[in-house]
């Protein structure tokens, strides 16, 4: 279905999978769901930023000089509303200096086609590392729509961080944005007739915010 022309980074860390198992569990209430969304997002964002450029520095400890490295360069975080907001604080905890853009997309409940209702992106994305955060990559329609907008705004290095991906979504991103990079801990079986990921975790936004 997809050929791995698009870079898919499968994040295989026990703490990531621990949080994912709790997120998947239908018995997990919104409070714990939100905490696990933050925890897993921190770990995934750390992986997606592994190659950020860093400059050598020398700092003074109380006992003398020590060599170190400080992260350089512009990082832009773009949550896809609304579910992506559940991942934002975690990424900003890691990279407080990041600029933040917002993209609002909503899947139609009948057709699963995403339509845009909001967009506000920072300027000058050409040299930025853009972390697009959206927990669910299902049909890929939302991801492709968001990637189209980011490319149109000039972004070149875009890394999509998601919590569960379906093969169909990866295939669509690969077909339309083969130079994007995808970071995910899980590639699930596929989609059901309503285009929900199987086994997935249900509707992420509803579980995060307690809406049904
Ligand atoms: C969910 C999810 C993704 C999208 C994935 O959002 O957060 O954005 O569906 O599905 P796709 O790959 O088939 O496009 P939804 O549209 O339900 O909105 P919400 O975040 O406001 O709940
Ligand atoms: N959006 C979700 O929140 N879950 C899915 O399984 C698919 C789209």
């Amino acid at each position: 279905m997809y050929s791995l022309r698009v870079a898919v980074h499968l994040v295989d860390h026990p703490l990531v999978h621990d949080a994912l198992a709790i997120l998947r569990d239908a018995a997990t209430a919104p409070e714990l769901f939100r905490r696990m969304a933050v925890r897993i997002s921190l770990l995934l964002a750390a992986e997606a930023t592994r190659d950020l450029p860093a400059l050598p520095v020398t700092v003074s400890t109380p006992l003398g000089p020590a060599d170190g490295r400080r992260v350089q360069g512009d990082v832009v975080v773009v949550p896809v509303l609304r579910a992506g907001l559940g991942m934002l604080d975690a990424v900003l905890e890691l990279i407080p200096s990041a600029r933040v853009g917002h993209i609002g997309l909503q899947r139609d409940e009948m057709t699963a086609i995403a339509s845009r209702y909001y967009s506000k992106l920072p300027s000058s994305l050409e040299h930025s590392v853009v972390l697009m955060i959206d927990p669910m990559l299902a049909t890929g329609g939302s991801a492709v729509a968001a990637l189209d907008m980011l490319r149109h705004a000039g972004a070149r290095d875009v890394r999509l961080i998601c919590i569960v991906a379906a093969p169909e979504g990866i295939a669509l991103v690969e077909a339309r944005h083969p130079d994007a990079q995808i970071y995910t801990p899980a590639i699930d079986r596929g989609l059901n007739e309503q285009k929900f990921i199987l086994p997935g975790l249900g509707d992420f936004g509803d579980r995060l915010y307690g809406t049904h």
Side-chain angles (χ1 to χ4, degrees), residues 21 24 33 52 89 143:
R24 285 192 194 273
F33 192 91
L52 281 188
D89 286 350

Side-chain angles (χ1 to χ4, degrees), residues 11 16 18 30-31 72-73 82 161 164 172 174 194 200 202 204:
V11 182
V16 167
D18 187 73
E31 183 189 354
Q72 294 294 306
R82 127 196 97 133
I161 304 177
V164 182
L172 193 67
E174 177 174 74
Q194 289 74 41
F204 196 98

Side-chain angles (χ1 to χ4, degrees), residues 35-122:
R35 287 204 343 251
M36 291 306 113
V38 169
R39 182 178 299 174
I40 199 168
S41 301
L42 259 167
L43 294 160
L44 295 174
E47 196 58 38
T49 51
R50 191 181 266 285
D51 63 345
L52 281 188
L55 262 193
V57 293
T58 304
V59 297
S60 300
T61 79
L63 301 178
D67 294 335
R69 287 181 289 170
R70 295 299 311 268
V71 167
Q72 294 294 306
D74 186 46
V75 177
V76 173
V77 191
V78 181
V80 176
L81 309 183
R82 127 196 97 133
L85 285 178
M87 305 172 73
L88 178 61
D89 286 350
V91 183
L92 290 178
E93 178 68 27
L94 284 185
I95 314 162
S97 62
R99 299 188 290 157
V100 181
H102 293 85
I103 291 177
L105 293 169
Q106 173 79 62
R107 271 191 0 160
D108 182 282
E109 283 187 7
M110 303 305 289
T111 64
I113 294 170
S115 58
R116 167 177 140 181
Y117 59 87
Y118 185 75
S119 166
K120 188 87 179 171
L121 297 174

Side-chain angles (χ1 to χ4, degrees), residues 107 136 138 195-197 202-205:
R107 271 191 0 160
M136 307 304 280
K195 309 294 184 198
F196 273 79
I197 300 175
D203 187 308
F204 196 98

